[in-house]
Amino acid sequence: MRRGLAAVTTAALTAGLLVGPALVGPTGSAGSVGVSTASAAVGGTCEPDALIGEPEWGPAAIGRDAANALADGAGVRVAVVDSGVQATFPHLVGAVEPGRDVVAKDPEDGTGTRDIFGHGSAVATIIAGRRVEGSALVGIAPAATIVPFRVYYEDDSDQAEREDKHPTPARIAAGIREAAAAGVRVIVVAMSTAEDNPELAAAVADATAGGALVISSMGNATEDSDPTRPRYPAAYPEVLAVGAFDQEFTPVLAYRGDHVDVAAPGVGVLTTGRSGGDCLLGTTEQATSWATAHVGGVAALVAQTHPEETPAQWAYRITATAARTVPDERSDLVGWGLVQAPDAIAFVDDGSARGPVSGAVPAVERPVAENAPVVITSPPDPWADARGTLAWWALGAAVVVAASLVVARTPSRRSDQGN
């Protein structure tokens, strides 16, 4: 959500692959929506029955295990507006309730619980994947419920468009509306379009007014694209817009602007492959979908522990507590920094936090920030050394005090892809 503070432009990064070109897709067709595809897994075979027993870096980087000591997403329904979610995949058994197939061209399913493309299932698994013996893959909110809203079957290929099975702004808008009508309060849209579509804008505004937080990816860019061109729905002011980091905590080249709010792991992410087995997905060319899924999982944890708050308050928790080097500065690539799940849960909005401006309480006078680095560690954390080199800034004693309060109140498009 846009905060109105001066942006700090991040230096140019390594080139990536544009997934989801604006208005003109890979086939040159007008009106296409950007959904990225990854033609190969990073370090994994993506075979149907594959299980990967070694954890990857993403959950540790955002503090998932510490957050799960406070919340697991139980009772929270998360909408995945995407290619559907395959409810029979091992990590998704028991995690998915019927939603709706907005495209309505699948005679075997009208609930969105089938996914021939795989993108929606991968997103859903990052958010709320269940434990499977022999696998290190577990969702950020492993007790949350996924509600799928299927808005495409295939990506922007000639055949998909001929068969009218591709994503469009109108279908994304319909998916968001259906999710809001179903009472879902966290809506994840891991795709983007360059079309500022009135239906899409209205759907986002209405969902937000109804009490839902819409979270969307910024989209990935290339050297020869204009990375400052807005992508939607991320560019709408109500949306929590997400960029991505890689394993070295380097921002991934993506669309940028003063509307990006936070970032999350998007490269080398362990999730479900197209055939249902464990798979490492995402390169610098395919990152912001997976990052958006991480933020969706964090939002589910926040919604569970603070159900009385508004979407704007949830978003503020996530942005205010994101890890960054300088407390008062944001980036046009990664917003306020790397999401930190336990801090977002424990945060107390008393007006003293540095960085984004709270819309709920007035700011209090604060001393000038000192930029002395503080190292965040979360033992056992094999990425602690890499994290330490970034000199992450974290909230102070108020978060620690708040954590005890929270504990007391917490209720118990062509192959494997990403955008």
Side-chain angles (χ1 to χ4, degrees):
M1 294 186 173
R2 191 163 303 158
R3 301 299 171 197
L5 298 184
V8 178
T9 304
T10 304
L13 303 175
T14 305
L17 170 68
L18 175 65
V19 261
L23 290 184
V24 178
T27 61
S29 58
S32 60
V33 175
V35 177
S36 62
T37 59
S39 59
V42 180
T45 59
C46 299
E47 295 177 353
D49 299 322
L51 295 178
I52 297 177
E54 293 296 322
E56 45 88 19
W57 68 286
I62 68 170
R64 180 199 61 193
D65 291 349
N68 286 166
L70 305 173
D72 59 7
V76 178
R77 299 159 73 227
V78 181
V80 173
V81 178
D82 213 291
S83 61
V85 174
Q86 190 68 38
T88 58
F89 282 173
H91 290 283
L92 294 172
V93 171
V96 184
E97 72 173 54
R100 185 180 173 193
D101 182 354
V102 172
V103 186
K105 292 180 180 291
D106 184 350
E108 298 182 29
D109 172 57
T111 66
T113 54
R114 273 171 38 98
D115 182 12
I116 62 174
F117 193 60
H119 188 272
S121 299
V123 168
T125 304
I126 295 169
I127 296 170
R130 287 358 187 199
R131 294 185 183 276
V132 172
E133 185 176 356
S135 171
L137 173 55
V138 183
I140 306 303
T145 298
I146 298 295
V147 189
F149 294 89
R150 194 180 189 189
V151 297
Y152 70 99
Y153 300 170
E154 299 284 353
D155 69 352
D156 300 315
S157 67
D158 285 330
Q159 181 176 353
E161 292 193 18
R162 283 195 302 269
E163 297 176 356
D164 193 26
K165 296 179 178 180
H166 61 299
T168 67
R171 283 177 175 158
I172 297 175
I176 293 172
R177 286 197 179 279
E178 291 284 346
V184 182
R185 296 195 68 195
V186 177
I187 302 175
V188 175
V189 185
M191 63 178 77
S192 66
T193 175
E195 182 180 340
D196 184 2
N197 180 277
E199 291 181 64
L200 185 55
V204 167
D206 291 346
T208 304
L213 174 61
V214 180
I215 304 167
S216 184
S217 55
M218 287 292 291
N220 307 297
T222 63
E223 284 184 314
D224 56 1
S225 65
D226 178 3
T228 65
R229 184 176 186 181
R231 303 282 292 188
Y232 301 92
Y236 295 128
E238 302 93 342
V239 174
L240 186 66
V242 183
F245 283 100
D246 66 15
Q247 300 99 316
E248 302 301 321
F249 297 98
T250 301
V252 174
L253 181 64
Y255 284 89
R256 65 189 71 179
D258 62 3
H259 57 284
V260 62
D261 295 299
V262 289
V267 176
V269 171
L270 181 59
T271 186
T272 295
R274 186 172 183 173
S275 300
D278 293 1
C279 192
L280 279 168
L281 297 179
T283 68
T284 54
E285 293 85 14
Q286 300 92 15
T288 58
S289 276
W290 316 140
T292 302
H294 280 80
V295 177
V298 174
L301 302 180
V302 168
Q304 179 189 4
T305 50
H306 304 281
E308 77 288 353
E309 293 186 350
T310 65
Q313 288 175 300
W314 292 343
Y316 182 63
R317 285 179 171 276
I318 293 169
T319 55
T321 58
R324 52 192 176 274
T325 306
V326 181
D328 297 314
E329 293 182 353
R330 63 171 296 284
S331 160
D332 272 2
L333 267 173
V334 294
W336 292 104
L338 179 68
V339 293
Q340 297 295 297
D343 291 346
I345 293 169
F347 177 68
V348 173
D349 186 9
D350 60 4
S352 64
R354 310 204 72 88
V357 176
S358 170
V361 300
V364 299
E365 186 175 351
R366 299 167 294 189
V368 177
E370 297 181 4
N371 295 335
V374 176
V375 176
I376 296 176
T377 59
S378 180
D381 183 359
W383 296 94
D385 291 341
R387 188 199 302 269
T389 62
L390 293 177
W392 296 118
W393 169 80
L395 293 180
V399 169
V400 177
V401 174
S404 63
L405 299 176
V406 173
V407 171
R409 62 171 294 184
T410 302
S412 203
R413 266 155 212 115
R414 288 185 181 82
S415 58
D416 288 306
Q417 57 277 339
N419 169 336

